[in-house]
Amino acid sequence: VSAGIFLGVFVGMMVGLQMFGLRVYTLAATKLSATADGRKTMNALRKEVRSAKTVYVGTYANGAFSRIQDGLPQTGNALEIYLADTNAAPVTYYQNSSGLTNALYSISDGGVTLVANYMTNYYVFTAEDYRTNVLTSYDNNPVIRIRLQFYQWEYPLGFVGTNAVNAYNFYRLQTRISRRAKE
């Protein structure tokens, strides 16, 4: 009888420990996937901005990019990158908040690609000088500040409580990228 009780307690503890391990794994996997997606996005942006010939911050609406006018702070939801001369087709990154989930997209060669999903900030790109002052003209070689703020469902395999209201984690990635030296 005592061996049966001991075996029951032992098996119960082992099952409980396994369930706890699965929950910890789920939390870690969610955070790791969010981190990996954020790094992938930042790496793509960094690579293109560094190799750019010209970079413009602006707004993207109704399928068109508009540069910020001179005299206004160079902060917007879109970034236009010319890898060669300005006669070639640019690569455009823009934050779209018109769908069910806010997302960051890129357009190159006429194709639209989802870059980051579940964005929470509208103003993603800012042109600054080396002292972090926001530029108001295109006369300077800008440093591009990129802020990605997004959320991700924390428990993708199950609900927390009755409606999973607080089951989201919020992430913020920020970097500053400068073009390589002028020619």
Side-chain angles (χ1 to χ4, degrees):
V1 170
S2 65
I5 292 172
F6 175 75
L7 186 61
V9 169
F10 182 73
V11 168
M13 288 178 60
M14 291 303 290
V15 169
L17 187 61
Q18 275 296 88
M19 297 302 288
F20 176 74
L22 287 172
R23 178 168 278 246
V24 169
Y25 171 78
T26 302
L27 290 173
T30 302
K31 291 178 182 183
L32 286 173
S33 70
T35 302
D37 290 345
R39 292 178 101 187
K40 183 179 171 184
T41 300
M42 287 295 196
N43 287 339
L45 284 163
R46 185 190 67 223
K47 178 183 169 187
E48 291 194 356
V49 169
R50 282 189 177 166
S51 63
K53 190 102 168 153
T54 309
V55 178
Y56 296 108
V57 174
T59 58
Y60 189 88
N62 301 322
F65 177 84
S66 301
R67 294 181 192 162
I68 303 291
Q69 297 175 0
D70 281 341
L72 296 176
Q74 304 294 312
T75 300
N77 74 329
L79 186 69
E80 193 171 58
I81 302 169
Y82 289 92
L83 299 175
D85 58 11
T86 54
N87 295 329
V91 176
T92 305
Y93 287 90
Y94 68 96
Q95 194 274 3
N96 185 5
S97 57
S98 64
L100 295 175
T101 60
N102 296 339
L104 185 68
Y105 294 94
S106 72
I107 302 172
S108 71
D109 298 327
V112 178
T113 305
L114 176 67
V115 177
N117 215 350
Y118 305 112
M119 301 286 297
T120 60
N121 59 322
Y122 179 76
Y123 296 107
V124 178
F125 305 103
T126 304
E128 301 175 340
D129 64 8
Y130 70 97
R131 291 186 286 175
T132 71
N133 298 318
V134 177
L135 297 177
T136 58
S137 70
Y138 291 104
D139 297 335
N140 198 350
N141 185 21
V143 175
I144 304 298
R145 179 182 298 268
I146 301 170
R147 285 188 188 98
L148 299 177
Q149 296 173 348
F150 56 99
Y151 64 94
Q152 184 170 4
W153 194 20
E154 187 172 6
Y155 302 102
L157 299 178
F159 289 102
V160 176
T162 57
N163 57 4
V165 172
N166 295 322
Y168 292 93
N169 263 346
F170 296 89
Y171 301 91
R172 178 179 176 184
L173 296 171
Q174 178 174 286
T175 190
R176 296 177 71 218
I177 307 167
S178 180
R179 294 183 313 119
R180 295 185 195 262
K182 289 184 175 181
E183 295 177 352

